[in-house]
Amino acid sequence: MGHSSTSISAAVGMSIAARAQGDPRQIVAVIGDGALSAGMAFEALNHAGSLDLDVMIVLNDNEMSIS
């Protein structure tokens, strides 16, 4: 879900929406090690950490970043 470093912020938004609707689903975000270095990913991690959401973040560490 999402492009580059947006997967975590998209997952946070989806999790907030699911909770508001009373939907007990778990949201999963997959992010690569290169995308994790973007500021948007860190902002999303901070936001997710401040909320009690059911979000799983999978890090695909392929030791490759494309600039």
Side-chain angles (χ1 to χ4, degrees):
M1 78 174 125
H3 168 71
S4 184
S5 62
T6 64
S7 63
I8 299 172
S9 60
V12 169
M14 290 177 196
S15 185
I16 290 169
R19 181 172 63 184
Q21 294 176 346
D23 189 347
R25 75 177 67 200
Q26 183 181 41
I27 309 297
V28 177
V30 179
I31 189 165
D33 54 335
L36 189 61
S37 64
M40 186 175 212
F42 286 117
E43 290 292 332
L45 284 170
N46 284 331
H47 191 195
S50 69
L51 304 172
D52 184 27
L53 301 175
D54 194 8
V55 176
M56 177 185 295
I57 301 169
V58 177
L59 174 62
N60 177 21
D61 186 1
N62 61 3
E63 300 178 6
M64 184 174 100
S65 177
I66 300 171
S67 42

